[in-house]
Amino acid sequence: MFEDHEIMSTIEMVKNENLDVRAVTLGINLFDCISHDLSVFKKNIRNKIIAHASQLVETCDRVGEKYGIEVVNKRISISPIALVGASFSADQMVEIAHELNDIAKTVNIDFIGGFSALVEKGMAKGDRALIEAIPRALTETQHVCASVNVATTKAGINMDAVLEMSRAIKRAAEMTADDDGLACAKLCVFSNIPQDMPFMAGAYLGVGQADAVINVGVSGPGVVKRAIERQMEGQRMTLGQIAEIIKRTACKVTRVGELIGREVADALGIKFGVVDLSLAPTPTVGDSIGEIFQALGLSHIGVPGSTAALAMLNDAVKKGGAFASSHVGGLSGAFIPVSEDLNIANAAHKGFLTVEKLEAMTCVCSVGLDMVPVPGDITEQTLAGIIADEMAIGMINAKTTATRIIPVPGKKAGDKVHFGGLLGEARIMDVPHSGLEDDFVTFGGRIPAPIHSLKN
């Protein structure tokens, strides 16, 4: 039972602390659209997606207005195109991406995710075609997002796919050089990718899901920060007490997200899926994960103590969210995207946060190296090494990790990049030894799955 002051604090969250629902994502299964004829396939997916999604934006806006809580992003996730379009060539995959982009415009959504492949154990014909198509697909479209899962705890790491993805990332960056490599901001490489997350660029609808389902992603860094600051005014608290505050706040935020998601799902006649508990920041002051670290007494995110603080934050958010909802899924953790969080971007620019420290922090949070701009002359081998390192963290620790890294053509460490909107802006981060061409990542094959009986 919530007390009166907690109900009032929820109202305060809505009015003054940037509480919103970050994403309502409509997942649509496309396996019944499969055809060997490209024109038939495109017609089938167009008809099915529009049939389910034509009222999505209007419904989200109406429900959001009813409760005074904005639904920031309305999105669609679909079955992995490498599976449902396995018979098509790379050029035909690009045509499919154009069709998806046009559908996204028709139903007025922000992004459509699912231009994806799952290749942790090997690449089939459709997977190779999709990976080859990714640079063009992301360059020639505005709303399509791509993701490739190259590792799992049970399968190990597909190093052939890691190297292929480093080449795809470099190529996508070069093709959008005039926009600071913007195509790479729509591309994630994953280990242990969840099948039901509402957040881009990795959202897709996995096998075993309903025909259509609504998944919701909540937000709330500003809410957590203010809750900590309110309770600490005039008193000194223990970290256990602070964790309790974060937990109770996460519970309230999650309830809000589930309320909105279930009402949208009911209005559309679609099943409700999960609430993703991730704390997702924006480039706005007061809505930053980095500012939570300062509320916890750290001068900047990235200084000693940051990994421990993030571990406490992540755990408390999960505990509070799990109490609030019986259907939790997706990533459910704290995002630390560099360019999308003004405070984190500033910490990186001032040298408090390095690529190596970011990697260390991803051991205890969700997502991984997210929206990290790096020098454009980074070699494919170094890029593949960074991806492989991040995938290894996910594989060994049985958790999701991802790499969304942007080698900005023609720019070097310290130069400014601007991606616009929620993607934000940042200074390019230095990558030590970025010019090396080490052989390790070129051996190929698969790094075997880890043993768990001897875990320590």
Side-chain angles (χ1 to χ4, degrees), residues 115-278:
F115 199 76
S116 306
L118 311 173
V119 297
E120 59 271 12
K121 222 166 183 175
M123 289 182 279
K125 176 190 169 189
D127 303 319
R128 292 186 184 280
L130 183 127
I131 292 173
E132 183 182 342
I134 281 176
R136 272 190 63 200
L138 298 185
T139 299
E140 297 173 12
T141 65
Q142 299 79 47
H143 304 283
V144 175
C145 290
S147 58
V148 176
N149 192 72
V150 300
T152 67
T153 297
K154 289 187 175 180
I157 305 173
N158 182 344
M159 290 300 293
D160 294 315
V162 168
L163 191 57
E164 285 294 320
M165 288 311 300
S166 74
R167 291 170 180 153
I169 290 169
K170 286 280 285 185
R171 182 72 181 133
E174 289 163 1
M175 295 178 74
T176 49
D178 291 342
D179 295 317
D180 288 337
L182 181 63
C184 298
K186 299 183 288 177
L187 173 59
C188 272
V189 184
F190 272 95
S191 172
N192 294 317
I193 187 172
Q195 302 188 36
D196 54 6
M197 66 175 157
F199 293 108
M200 298 296 173
Y204 79 104
L205 189 71
V207 176
Q209 305 284 312
D211 196 43
V213 63
I214 290 287
N215 295 321
V216 173
V218 298
S219 181
V223 173
V224 171
K225 175 200 163 202
R226 279 298 300 140
I228 295 170
E229 290 175 340
R230 261 197 306 271
Q231 293 296 321
M232 292 181 71
E233 284 174 0
Q235 62 177 324
R236 186 165 181 84
M237 305 177 72
T238 67
L239 290 175
Q241 291 171 318
I242 295 173
E244 181 68 18
I245 293 166
I246 297 171
K247 192 170 71 176
R248 293 178 75 86
T249 304
C251 179
K252 286 183 277 189
V253 170
T254 304
R255 285 276 171 88
V256 169
E258 179 152 341
L259 171 71
I260 298 292
R262 284 192 179 279
E263 191 146 332
V264 169
D266 287 345
L268 294 173
I270 292 173
K271 287 182 179 294
F272 177 75
V274 300
V275 181
D276 186 316
L277 306 177
S278 297

